[in-house]
Amino acid sequence: MSKEDYPKNILSYILSKYSNRPLELFISNSVVRKIIIKLFDKKIHSELLNDSSFPKQVQEDKYYMARNIMLAMNTAFDRAVNAPQVRKALINSLIRNIFIKEKKQIKKFKQQWQSNPPAFLTIAPGGSCNLKCIGCYANSSSDSFKKLDWETLDRIILEKTIFWGSYFTVITGGEPLLYKSQGKTIIDLAKKHQDNYFLMYTNGTLIDKEMAKKLAEVGNITPAISVEGFEKETDERRGKGVHKRILQAMENLREVGVPFGISLTATKNNAELVVSDELIDYYFKECGAIYGWIFQLMPIGRADSLDLMVTPEQRLKMFKQTQHLVKDRKIFIADFWNSGCVSDGCISAGRSGGYFYIEWNGKITPCVFNPYSPVNIHDIYKKGGTLNDVLKEPFFKSIRQWQKDYALDKKLNEIGNWLTPCIIKDHYDVMKDLLDKHNPKPIDEAAQEALNDSGYQSGLKEYGKKMAEVTDPIWEKEYLKTDD
């Protein structure tokens, strides 16, 4: 079985072996779901740990995350007992389309490109936001004119589905719930593209009871609500009273059975807190979150220095604590830097199984934290192109080649350290060379200033060296080790 087929083939195998009933009836039964989870756990553990494509410890990390995803989905089903559209979306949009369905589009793409397509897209339909958070990577504002028009947004979703067999879409911003074009909103987008499942990053302040009901009625959106810690830390960055509004939003979502998670931005000031057992218990047990995403602050957007970055020493502590949460506590939580092993490293620039990012103004960047754009989706469409033309961009191709040279095309004992997977944060020297070679356009003034700031550049390069010093011994001893 190809490593790119996990966990789809395993889940397909279990379902085909143990049920001839319709998928809806099969999955909706809580007793049967427990059987599926047990079988899934046993089989994926066996398949992953016996796969020699990557180091054993890497495969173990993948196993624990896959197990926790399944447990989180089971919790979502249990809580959506009175939310039929939510359950329907979980079954059809998420399980059937993403995990089970054989996709002719992927086979066709692979024949042409000799690799699998990107698995998803991250899109910021609008740049407007009702908050002004310190260090916002999106550099959002209250400007209501910062948005993709409806036709373009709709076309992007349609193309990724048709060309890539991609049924998972990440919506960010700005605040997505403020988006409106030609009378259409994010709810309308999800309603039109019911075959997709949408993960929506939101500040949560606009999820009143009416909005929660709309989310339940459309079914295929899960909000990831941004918090910085408890009330004190969240209000310090997001504004006084925001945390109380977030708690109300979570209550509104629980009442209607919409699954939600949390999005945590880690800085030097809260690095230990955001992965603490106390905070996880609060949001997962008391507030009802079923998953969490951790973003370590990148010095872009409004952050004008490297001062707020998580230090290498803090990052190592976060790594060990996150491993504990995932392995021992069975929490579905991922850190976009410390969980690099789960994703086989950097997933930017349209890598197989990865993604790229489209901003509200049409600018396309390798990822949401790499603020340099070689092309605009509006220009591609004007020339009669499609999303696939983005993948042809030399800047993106160079990043994908680095991903291969660093790890993906390496021998088992030569794979680059995936505890430092990020090309811009952990390997800025490589990134700067590619920026100089391809000259992609900075997406804002802060990104432009970074290109001219020798202090910024030397600081990030030094950060990468320190991260290597801290994590290389762990990678070599715990991940590259071979059984005697």
Side-chain angles (χ1 to χ4, degrees), residues 447-467:
Q448 178 63 61
E449 290 173 1
L451 290 177
N452 303 319
D453 186 345
S454 59
Y456 175 93
Q457 295 167 25
S458 61
L460 268 188
K461 290 178 182 179
E462 183 63 25
Y463 180 88
K465 290 179 181 178
K466 289 182 178 179
M467 276 305 308

Side-chain angles (χ1 to χ4, degrees), residues 156-202:
I156 289 169
I157 303 299
L158 187 63
E159 285 190 352
K160 68 179 274 296
T161 305
I162 293 174
F163 296 150
W164 303 345
S166 166
Y167 295 91
F168 182 64
T169 305
V170 178
I171 302 293
T172 183
E175 170 51 51
L177 293 177
L178 284 175
Y179 174 81
K180 194 168 187 179
S181 173
Q182 295 178 261
K184 303 292 186 180
T185 67
I186 292 302
I187 300 295
D188 294 302
L189 185 71
K191 189 180 298 184
K192 181 171 183 180
H193 297 277
Q194 278 286 308
D195 53 358
N196 272 251
Y197 198 80
F198 294 86
L199 169 65
M200 178 182 70
Y201 288 103
T202 173

Side-chain angles (χ1 to χ4, degrees), residues 5-42:
D5 290 332
Y6 297 121
K8 180 191 70 176
N9 281 358
I10 293 173
L11 188 55
S12 298
Y13 166 82
I14 292 170
L15 293 175
S16 64
K17 186 176 177 67
Y18 293 94
S19 175
N20 293 317
R21 302 176 67 191
L23 184 61
E24 290 81 358
L25 294 176
F26 191 60
I27 298 293
S28 295
N29 188 303
S30 60
V31 175
V32 175
R33 282 204 312 276
K34 290 181 180 179
I35 296 173
I36 293 175
I37 291 170
K38 186 176 181 180
L39 292 169
F40 179 88
D41 192 0
K42 181 178 179 180

Side-chain angles (χ1 to χ4, degrees), residues 51-231:
D51 178 13
S52 59
S53 302
F54 294 118
K56 184 176 180 180
Q57 187 60 49
V58 169
Q59 299 300 83
E60 264 194 39
D61 288 356
K62 293 177 185 177
Y63 157 70
Y64 289 121
M65 192 65 74
R67 176 199 65 184
N68 295 359
I69 290 173
M70 181 63 79
L71 293 175
M73 288 169 58
N74 185 55
T75 300
F77 273 108
D78 287 341
R79 294 180 181 174
V81 63
N82 294 317
Q85 285 302 114
V86 171
R87 292 169 73 90
K88 182 179 178 181
L90 287 170
I91 292 169
N92 293 325
S93 308
L94 190 60
I95 293 178
R96 176 178 278 125
N97 285 350
I98 296 175
F99 291 116
I100 297 178
K101 186 177 180 181
E102 291 291 341
K103 304 178 183 72
K104 295 179 180 178
Q105 306 100 309
I106 293 179
K107 293 180 180 178
K108 183 177 179 180
F109 184 98
K110 195 169 185 178
Q111 289 175 350
Q112 180 181 353
W113 296 77
Q114 287 74 56
S115 69
N116 279 358
F120 66 101
L121 278 182
T122 297
I123 308 173
S128 60
C129 187
N130 57 325
L131 301 181
K132 193 173 183 179
C133 306
I134 299 170
C136 174
Y137 78 87
N139 204 14
S140 301
S141 73
S142 59
D143 185 354
S144 62
F145 297 102
K146 298 166 62 172
K147 60 189 173 187
L148 289 168
D149 62 86
W150 171 257
E151 285 87 355
T152 301
L153 179 60
D154 180 44
R155 179 176 174 179
I156 289 169
I157 303 299
L158 187 63
E159 285 190 352
K160 68 179 274 296
T161 305
I162 293 174
F163 296 150
W164 303 345
S166 166
Y167 295 91
F168 182 64
T169 305
V170 178
I171 302 293
T172 183
E175 170 51 51
L177 293 177
L178 284 175
Y179 174 81
K180 194 168 187 179
S181 173
Q182 295 178 261
K184 303 292 186 180
T185 67
I186 292 302
I187 300 295
D188 294 302
L189 185 71
K191 189 180 298 184
K192 181 171 183 180
H193 297 277
Q194 278 286 308
D195 53 358
N196 272 251
Y197 198 80
F198 294 86
L199 169 65
M200 178 182 70
Y201 288 103
T202 173
N203 61 45
T205 60
L206 301 180
I207 303 178
D208 55 16
K209 290 184 181 298
E210 181 181 356
M211 178 56 69
K213 184 179 179 181
K214 289 180 180 180
L215 291 168
E217 289 172 348
V218 74
N220 58 335
I221 301 177
T222 176
I225 301 175
S226 299
V227 295
E228 314 304 323
F230 295 106
E231 182 175 19

Side-chain angles (χ1 to χ4, degrees), residues 143-420:
D143 185 354
S144 62
F145 297 102
K146 298 166 62 172
K147 60 189 173 187
L148 289 168
D149 62 86
W150 171 257
E151 285 87 355
T152 301
L153 179 60
D154 180 44
R155 179 176 174 179
I156 289 169
I157 303 299
L158 187 63
E159 285 190 352
K160 68 179 274 296
T161 305
I162 293 174
F163 296 150
W164 303 345
S166 166
Y167 295 91
F168 182 64
T169 305
V170 178
I171 302 293
T172 183
E175 170 51 51
L177 293 177
L178 284 175
Y179 174 81
K180 194 168 187 179
S181 173
Q182 295 178 261
K184 303 292 186 180
T185 67
I186 292 302
I187 300 295
D188 294 302
L189 185 71
K191 189 180 298 184
K192 181 171 183 180
H193 297 277
Q194 278 286 308
D195 53 358
N196 272 251
Y197 198 80
F198 294 86
L199 169 65
M200 178 182 70
Y201 288 103
T202 173
N203 61 45
T205 60
L206 301 180
I207 303 178
D208 55 16
K209 290 184 181 298
E210 181 181 356
M211 178 56 69
K213 184 179 179 181
K214 289 180 180 180
L215 291 168
E217 289 172 348
V218 74
N220 58 335
I221 301 177
T222 176
I225 301 175
S226 299
V227 295
E228 314 304 323
F230 295 106
E231 182 175 19
K232 175 180 178 294
E233 296 78 18
T234 300
D235 283 3
E236 281 178 353
R237 183 170 186 240
R238 297 186 171 270
K240 188 176 180 180
V242 168
H243 191 261
K244 285 185 170 62
R245 295 167 69 183
I246 286 172
L247 294 185
Q248 184 60 56
M250 291 179 174
E251 181 180 333
N252 295 339
L253 292 168
R254 289 196 307 272
E255 287 180 356
V256 296
V258 173
F260 66 91
I262 54 174
S263 172
L264 297 150
T265 301
T267 70
K268 183 176 65 177
N269 298 330
N270 70 349
E272 289 83 2
L273 176 64
V274 296
V275 291
S276 66
D277 286 281
E278 181 185 12
L279 183 132
I280 294 302
D281 284 342
Y282 177 70
Y283 284 111
F284 281 73
K285 290 185 177 181
E286 295 184 34
C287 299
I290 66 170
Y291 61 84
W293 304 109
I294 300 172
F295 300 90
Q296 297 179 30
L297 185 104
M298 280 288 295
I300 56 178
R302 294 192 185 96
D304 57 3
S305 73
L306 311 180
D307 293 343
L308 279 176
M309 288 178 68
V310 174
T311 68
E313 293 75 19
Q314 288 177 316
R315 190 162 149 186
L316 179 59
K317 291 180 181 179
M318 287 179 65
F319 168 75
K320 293 179 178 179
Q321 175 63 7
T322 303
Q323 293 284 83
H324 159 66
L325 294 174
V326 172
K327 181 179 179 179
D328 303 323
R329 297 202 53 194
K330 301 181 180 181
I331 301 292
F332 176 21
I333 188 166
D335 182 322
F336 278 76
W337 286 267
N338 281 339
S339 300
C341 293
V342 176
S343 61
D344 296 340
C346 171
I347 60 173
S348 74
R351 195 201 84 182
S352 172
Y355 84 110
F356 55 78
Y357 171 55
I358 304 178
E359 262 207 326
W360 54 268
N361 50 22
K363 296 176 183 178
I364 303 175
T365 68
C367 76
V368 295
F369 303 105
N370 196 333
Y372 301 97
S373 172
V375 69
N376 192 297
I377 193 64
H378 297 304
D379 294 332
I380 286 178
Y381 285 166
K382 285 178 182 177
K383 295 176 182 178
T386 69
L387 280 182
N388 282 345
D389 290 291
V390 178
L391 302 174
K392 300 175 184 178
E393 287 296 320
F395 180 49
F396 281 15
K397 290 172 71 174
S398 291
I399 293 175
R400 295 200 298 270
Q401 187 60 52
W402 173 81
Q403 293 163 348
K404 294 177 182 178
D405 294 341
Y406 185 68
L408 295 176
D409 283 353
K410 290 289 189 180
K411 295 180 180 178
L412 202 62
N413 63 344
E414 297 176 351
I415 292 175
N417 181 0
W418 276 335
L419 305 185
T420 57

